[in-house]
Short mmCIF file of all heavy atoms in Angstrom, two decimals:
data_model
loop_
_atom_site.label_atom_id
_atom_site.label_comp_id
_atom_site.label_asym_id
_atom_site.label_seq_id
_atom_site.Cartn_x
_atom_site.Cartn_y
_atom_site.Cartn_z
N ALA A 255 96.81 139.33 90.58
CA ALA A 255 96.57 139.72 89.19
C ALA A 255 95.78 141.02 89.16
O ALA A 255 94.85 141.22 89.95
CB ALA A 255 95.82 138.63 88.44
N ALA A 256 96.19 141.92 88.25
CA ALA A 256 95.46 143.17 88.10
C ALA A 256 94.06 142.89 87.56
O ALA A 256 93.79 141.84 86.96
CB ALA A 256 96.21 144.11 87.16
N ASP A 257 93.14 143.82 87.83
CA ASP A 257 91.76 143.63 87.39
C ASP A 257 91.70 143.51 85.86
O ASP A 257 92.28 144.33 85.12
CB ASP A 257 90.90 144.81 87.83
CG ASP A 257 90.77 144.89 89.34
OD1 ASP A 257 90.95 143.84 89.99
OD2 ASP A 257 90.51 145.99 89.87
N ALA A 258 91.05 142.48 85.41
CA ALA A 258 90.92 142.24 83.96
C ALA A 258 90.03 143.30 83.32
O ALA A 258 89.21 143.94 83.97
CB ALA A 258 90.35 140.85 83.72
N ILE A 259 90.21 143.49 82.02
CA ILE A 259 89.45 144.49 81.27
C ILE A 259 88.55 143.78 80.27
O ILE A 259 88.98 142.86 79.55
CB ILE A 259 90.41 145.45 80.54
CG1 ILE A 259 91.28 146.20 81.56
CG2 ILE A 259 89.63 146.44 79.67
CD1 ILE A 259 92.32 147.09 80.90
N ARG A 260 87.28 144.22 80.22
CA ARG A 260 86.33 143.63 79.27
C ARG A 260 86.62 144.17 77.86
O ARG A 260 86.87 145.37 77.67
CB ARG A 260 84.90 143.96 79.65
CG ARG A 260 83.85 143.39 78.68
CD ARG A 260 82.46 143.69 79.15
NE ARG A 260 82.18 142.98 80.38
CZ ARG A 260 81.79 141.70 80.44
NH1 ARG A 260 81.68 140.99 79.32
NH2 ARG A 260 81.53 141.13 81.58
N VAL A 261 86.61 143.29 76.90
CA VAL A 261 86.83 143.68 75.50
C VAL A 261 85.65 143.19 74.66
O VAL A 261 84.85 142.37 75.10
CB VAL A 261 88.15 143.09 74.97
CG1 VAL A 261 89.34 143.68 75.69
CG2 VAL A 261 88.15 141.57 75.05
N ASN A 262 85.61 143.69 73.44
CA ASN A 262 84.50 143.31 72.56
C ASN A 262 84.74 142.00 71.83
O ASN A 262 83.89 141.54 71.08
CB ASN A 262 84.22 144.42 71.53
CG ASN A 262 83.71 145.68 72.21
OD1 ASN A 262 82.99 145.58 73.21
ND2 ASN A 262 84.05 146.85 71.65
N GLY A 263 85.93 141.45 72.07
CA GLY A 263 86.24 140.19 71.40
C GLY A 263 85.44 139.04 71.99
O GLY A 263 84.82 139.12 73.04
N SER A 264 85.50 137.94 71.27
CA SER A 264 84.73 136.77 71.69
C SER A 264 85.23 136.18 73.01
O SER A 264 84.52 135.47 73.70
CB SER A 264 84.77 135.70 70.60
OG SER A 264 86.11 135.31 70.33
N TYR A 265 86.50 136.46 73.33
CA TYR A 265 87.06 135.90 74.56
C TYR A 265 86.62 136.68 75.79
O TYR A 265 86.89 136.28 76.91
CB TYR A 265 88.59 135.81 74.48
CG TYR A 265 89.27 137.06 73.96
CD1 TYR A 265 89.58 138.10 74.82
CD2 TYR A 265 89.60 137.17 72.61
CE1 TYR A 265 90.21 139.23 74.31
CE2 TYR A 265 90.23 138.28 72.11
CZ TYR A 265 90.54 139.34 72.97
OH TYR A 265 91.16 140.45 72.51
N GLY A 266 86.04 137.85 75.67
CA GLY A 266 85.36 138.55 76.75
C GLY A 266 86.22 139.43 77.63
O GLY A 266 85.96 140.63 77.76
N MET A 267 87.26 138.88 78.30
CA MET A 267 88.08 139.63 79.27
C MET A 267 89.55 139.44 78.91
O MET A 267 89.96 138.38 78.44
CB MET A 267 87.85 139.13 80.69
CG MET A 267 86.40 139.18 81.17
SD MET A 267 85.84 140.84 81.57
CE MET A 267 86.70 141.13 83.09
N VAL A 268 90.37 140.49 79.20
CA VAL A 268 91.80 140.39 78.94
C VAL A 268 92.56 140.75 80.23
O VAL A 268 92.19 141.67 80.95
CB VAL A 268 92.23 141.31 77.79
CG1 VAL A 268 91.98 142.78 78.11
CG2 VAL A 268 93.70 141.08 77.43
N GLY A 269 93.60 139.99 80.51
CA GLY A 269 94.39 140.25 81.72
C GLY A 269 95.14 141.56 81.65
O GLY A 269 95.57 141.97 80.58
N ALA A 270 95.34 142.18 82.83
CA ALA A 270 95.98 143.50 82.87
C ALA A 270 97.33 143.48 83.58
O ALA A 270 97.86 144.51 83.95
CB ALA A 270 95.06 144.51 83.56
N GLY A 271 97.88 142.30 83.80
CA GLY A 271 99.18 142.23 84.43
C GLY A 271 99.10 141.88 85.91
O GLY A 271 98.19 141.15 86.34
N VAL A 272 100.04 142.39 86.71
CA VAL A 272 100.15 142.04 88.13
C VAL A 272 100.31 143.32 88.97
O VAL A 272 100.89 144.31 88.51
CB VAL A 272 101.35 141.09 88.36
CG1 VAL A 272 102.66 141.76 88.00
CG2 VAL A 272 101.37 140.58 89.79
N ASN A 273 99.77 143.27 90.17
CA ASN A 273 99.92 144.38 91.11
C ASN A 273 100.54 143.89 92.42
O ASN A 273 100.18 142.81 92.92
CB ASN A 273 98.57 145.03 91.43
CG ASN A 273 98.04 145.84 90.27
OD1 ASN A 273 98.81 146.36 89.46
ND2 ASN A 273 96.72 145.94 90.18
N ALA A 274 101.48 144.66 92.99
CA ALA A 274 102.00 144.39 94.34
C ALA A 274 101.07 145.07 95.34
O ALA A 274 100.91 146.29 95.30
CB ALA A 274 103.42 144.92 94.48
N THR A 275 100.45 144.28 96.21
CA THR A 275 99.44 144.84 97.12
C THR A 275 100.03 145.31 98.45
O THR A 275 99.62 146.33 99.00
CB THR A 275 98.36 143.80 97.40
OG1 THR A 275 98.96 142.61 97.95
CG2 THR A 275 97.62 143.45 96.12
N SER A 276 101.02 144.56 98.98
CA SER A 276 101.58 144.94 100.27
C SER A 276 102.82 144.10 100.55
O SER A 276 103.07 143.08 99.89
CB SER A 276 100.57 144.75 101.41
OG SER A 276 100.24 143.37 101.56
N ILE A 277 103.58 144.54 101.54
CA ILE A 277 104.69 143.74 102.06
C ILE A 277 104.34 143.39 103.51
O ILE A 277 104.17 144.28 104.35
CB ILE A 277 106.01 144.52 102.00
CG1 ILE A 277 106.39 144.85 100.56
CG2 ILE A 277 107.14 143.70 102.66
CD1 ILE A 277 107.63 145.70 100.43
N SER A 278 104.20 142.12 103.77
CA SER A 278 103.76 141.67 105.10
C SER A 278 104.80 140.78 105.75
O SER A 278 105.76 140.33 105.11
CB SER A 278 102.42 140.95 105.01
OG SER A 278 102.55 139.79 104.20
N GLN A 279 104.59 140.51 107.05
CA GLN A 279 105.50 139.67 107.81
C GLN A 279 104.94 138.26 107.93
O GLN A 279 103.73 138.07 108.06
CB GLN A 279 105.69 140.24 109.22
CG GLN A 279 106.36 141.61 109.25
CD GLN A 279 106.44 142.15 110.67
OE1 GLN A 279 105.44 142.22 111.38
NE2 GLN A 279 107.63 142.54 111.10
N THR A 280 105.84 137.28 107.90
CA THR A 280 105.42 135.89 108.09
C THR A 280 105.53 135.56 109.58
O THR A 280 106.45 134.88 110.03
CB THR A 280 106.30 134.92 107.28
OG1 THR A 280 107.67 135.11 107.68
CG2 THR A 280 106.17 135.19 105.80
N ARG A 281 104.59 136.09 110.35
CA ARG A 281 104.64 135.96 111.81
C ARG A 281 103.36 135.30 112.29
O ARG A 281 102.28 135.57 111.78
CB ARG A 281 104.80 137.34 112.45
CG ARG A 281 105.28 137.29 113.89
CD ARG A 281 105.57 138.68 114.44
NE ARG A 281 106.21 138.59 115.74
CZ ARG A 281 107.50 138.67 115.95
NH1 ARG A 281 108.31 138.87 114.92
NH2 ARG A 281 108.01 138.56 117.16
N ASP A 282 103.50 134.42 113.31
CA ASP A 282 102.36 133.70 113.86
C ASP A 282 102.18 134.14 115.32
O ASP A 282 103.06 133.93 116.16
CB ASP A 282 102.62 132.20 113.80
CG ASP A 282 101.37 131.37 114.11
OD1 ASP A 282 100.56 131.83 114.94
OD2 ASP A 282 101.21 130.28 113.53
N ALA A 283 101.03 134.75 115.62
CA ALA A 283 100.76 135.25 116.98
C ALA A 283 100.76 134.12 118.01
O ALA A 283 101.09 134.34 119.18
CB ALA A 283 99.43 135.99 117.00
N TYR A 284 100.39 132.92 117.58
CA TYR A 284 100.38 131.79 118.52
C TYR A 284 101.77 131.50 119.05
O TYR A 284 101.96 131.29 120.25
CB TYR A 284 99.82 130.55 117.81
CG TYR A 284 100.02 129.28 118.61
CD1 TYR A 284 99.25 129.00 119.73
CD2 TYR A 284 101.01 128.36 118.23
CE1 TYR A 284 99.44 127.83 120.47
CE2 TYR A 284 101.20 127.19 118.95
CZ TYR A 284 100.43 126.94 120.07
OH TYR A 284 100.63 125.79 120.80
N TYR A 285 102.76 131.52 118.16
CA TYR A 285 104.14 131.25 118.61
C TYR A 285 104.70 132.40 119.44
O TYR A 285 105.52 132.19 120.33
CB TYR A 285 105.03 130.97 117.40
CG TYR A 285 104.81 129.59 116.82
CD1 TYR A 285 104.39 129.41 115.50
CD2 TYR A 285 105.01 128.45 117.59
CE1 TYR A 285 104.18 128.16 114.97
CE2 TYR A 285 104.80 127.18 117.07
CZ TYR A 285 104.39 127.04 115.76
OH TYR A 285 104.17 125.78 115.25
N ASP A 286 104.24 133.63 119.16
CA ASP A 286 104.64 134.75 120.01
C ASP A 286 104.13 134.53 121.43
O ASP A 286 104.86 134.72 122.41
CB ASP A 286 104.09 136.07 119.45
CG ASP A 286 104.85 136.54 118.23
OD1 ASP A 286 106.00 136.09 118.04
OD2 ASP A 286 104.31 137.36 117.47
N LEU A 287 102.87 134.16 121.54
CA LEU A 287 102.27 133.92 122.85
C LEU A 287 102.98 132.78 123.57
O LEU A 287 103.31 132.87 124.76
CB LEU A 287 100.78 133.60 122.68
CG LEU A 287 100.00 133.21 123.94
CD1 LEU A 287 99.94 134.40 124.90
CD2 LEU A 287 98.59 132.75 123.58
N LYS A 288 103.25 131.71 122.83
CA LYS A 288 103.90 130.54 123.41
C LYS A 288 105.32 130.87 123.85
O LYS A 288 105.77 130.44 124.94
CB LYS A 288 103.91 129.42 122.36
CG LYS A 288 104.25 128.05 122.91
CD LYS A 288 104.07 126.99 121.82
CE LYS A 288 104.40 125.60 122.35
NZ LYS A 288 104.23 124.57 121.30
N TYR A 289 106.03 131.63 123.02
CA TYR A 289 107.40 132.00 123.36
C TYR A 289 107.44 132.85 124.62
O TYR A 289 108.26 132.62 125.52
CB TYR A 289 108.04 132.74 122.19
CG TYR A 289 109.42 133.27 122.51
CD1 TYR A 289 110.55 132.45 122.42
CD2 TYR A 289 109.59 134.60 122.91
CE1 TYR A 289 111.81 132.94 122.73
CE2 TYR A 289 110.85 135.09 123.23
CZ TYR A 289 111.95 134.26 123.13
OH TYR A 289 113.19 134.75 123.45
N ARG A 290 106.58 133.85 124.70
CA ARG A 290 106.62 134.76 125.84
C ARG A 290 106.20 134.08 127.14
O ARG A 290 106.71 134.40 128.20
CB ARG A 290 105.74 135.98 125.53
CG ARG A 290 106.37 136.88 124.48
CD ARG A 290 105.39 137.82 123.84
NE ARG A 290 106.03 138.56 122.73
CZ ARG A 290 105.39 139.23 121.80
NH1 ARG A 290 104.06 139.29 121.84
NH2 ARG A 290 106.05 139.85 120.84
N LYS A 291 105.28 133.17 127.04
CA LYS A 291 104.89 132.41 128.23
C LYS A 291 106.05 131.57 128.75
O LYS A 291 106.34 131.54 129.95
CB LYS A 291 103.69 131.51 127.90
CG LYS A 291 103.19 130.70 129.08
CD LYS A 291 101.99 129.85 128.69
CE LYS A 291 101.50 129.01 129.87
NZ LYS A 291 100.34 128.17 129.51
#
């Protein structure tokens, strides 16, 4: 979630949407080690 913005309303904070942070791999180093061994 994008950083919320403070407003003067009684509800205090408002959401700012969504941000894509990164594209990562679903890889486990343990299985790499096990496979290579």
Side-chain angles (χ1 to χ4, degrees):
D257 294 337
I259 298 176
R260 179 177 294 278
V261 295
N262 294 326
S264 59
Y265 46 85
M267 303 285 287
V268 62
V272 63
N273 287 332
T275 57
S276 64
I277 297 176
S278 62
Q279 296 176 307
T280 58
R281 198 174 188 98
D282 192 326
Y284 169 74
Y285 285 119
D286 285 340
L287 176 65
K288 194 173 180 181
Y289 174 82
R290 289 162 186 165
K291 181 179 179 180

